Amino acid sequence: MQAAGPSGKRCPICDGHTIYEARLYLHMRITIIGSGYVGLVTGACFAEVGHEVICMDNDTRKIKALRNGKIPIYEPGLDQLVQRNVSAHRLSFSGSIEEGVGNSEVIFIAVPTPPQVDGSVDLTYIERVAREIASVLKEYRVIVDKSTVPVKTGEKVAETIRRYSQAEVEFDVVSNPEFLREGCAVADLMEPDRIVIGSDSERALTIMKRVYEPFMAPMMITDINSAELIKHAANSFLALKISYINALSAICEASGADIEKVADGIGADKRIGRSFLNAGLGYGGSCFPKDVAAFLSISEQIGEPFPLLTEVQRINQHQRKRFVNRLRDTLWILKEKRIAVWGLTFKPDTDDVRSSVAVDLVNDLIREGAHVTAYDPKGNERVQELNLCPGVHLADSALDAVRDAETLVLATEWPDFAAIDLAEVYRRMHTPIVFDGRNLFDPNTMRDLGFQYYSIGRPPTKANSNGHSGRLANIDLGNIPKYTCRQRHNKVTQGSR
Ligand code: UGA
């Protein structure tokens, strides 16, 4: 990132650092097996730096849609990236394993590794792909595991390929974990903090370095088991940071301290760092919950249980329950209460509602008999499609959702909510009570606007007057800024790099 690449071309994503143009001198032919979230973003970014990439999937409808320019996921910047590289003939899509393995020097495996009921990882797809690769392997290939897998999976993949190969063909298996965050995956891939490559084969390492050289990021070469472990250890540590700050938020609520000030105070210590210390409703998504459970499971399997992570999970669950308890304490009875919920996705800038705390929260409220109207800028459709919140009413806008609501709950910190006209929200609500599960709004502003405002780990605020929030008509709005949030979202996404 520091040194300019030979082309001097500016990075198309951030328009900042210059990138190497791999196509000028060292482009590789790469196949990505699995065109889901990780596979597609990785393939598009490899193509962007000049490699020739085939993205594969066994879902023929998906391949057809991709060939027609339809991107199955929402990820900022991805559609333009795909379009540009398809037009430049650097990116193509295929359903044929023969074509994928036959035409490329490096084969990335990016298939799902879903959780099983006991928390361990279902490696069925990985194993199947290993057999499929073996069945068409004719000359040396580097086979890279990009999917998140438990330590020692690489050894199993190599064993399987060896067992199912038709002939004595040379190959190497490499572990190359991904560290992409949904919502900023393209930027994370184009400008990674580090690239971890696990292999003990010089031949494979030389090829992997050529694949990643254009990104000009620090490369860390390890053995294959360490690379696999790094991924689970990194995600579990980030989850631990979140649970730590959430446990502290309960202590702040009980003692009258302010979690934001505490987080700033400890985060200013460089050894600790401020990122991933944002208290909230807990972590969700398709990675942290699954990876913490998987890490627990594999550590038990290898005879070294890791109970610290059990506590991380417990705190995460408890944080949402504490929030609902506080809501119940305030509203007394939740049954028949009209509650608006803003946010359904597991975090902003994604349409992903898998393992979303917001979805769980909506279901908690519905179970208690509340009438919930929810709105999410990108998540409504998915929640409806998958019927994740039976009984919820989905609104067309944030302002629609709060009409006549007795309480507003903020569950996901979308910038759209931060920018909303809160005076209008106040006017539309039946009773101006706000429960902010992501500390998006400023308590003083909320108080000045007349809201009864509760957030995470901060003292609640009530309207100034006589203990009850006066209606907004009585308040002079002249000095109140329309945008009242602290742009916490930016803090999350920038700070966590
Ligand atoms: C996470 C990791 O951050 C990536 O490095 C990793 O590659 C990815 O998992 C993966 O394994 O594929 P992601 O799940 O996209 O990325 O989302 P994050 O931004 O890490 O957020 C995860 C959850 O933690 C969200 O629910 C978010 O709201 C929550 N969170 C995050 C907090 O509650 N507080 C924080 O301070 C930060």
Side-chain angles (χ1 to χ4, degrees), residues 178-182 231 235 276 278 284 287-288 346-347:
E178 55 85 15
F179 302 104
L180 313 177
R181 287 163 303 164
E182 292 189 22
K231 169 68 189 203
N235 272 4
F276 278 73
N278 293 314
C287 303
F288 285 177
F346 83 98
K347 67 172 192 178

Side-chain angles (χ1 to χ4, degrees), residues 280-282 315-326 356-362 364 367:
L281 288 167
I315 295 168
N316 198 51
Q317 291 290 327
H318 186 58
Q319 188 72 351
R320 191 183 87 241
K321 287 193 189 121
R322 271 188 348 97
F323 188 79
V324 175
N325 290 345
R326 284 173 75 210
S356 166
V357 180
V359 165
D360 291 342
L361 183 70
V362 166
D364 289 342
R367 257 193 305 276

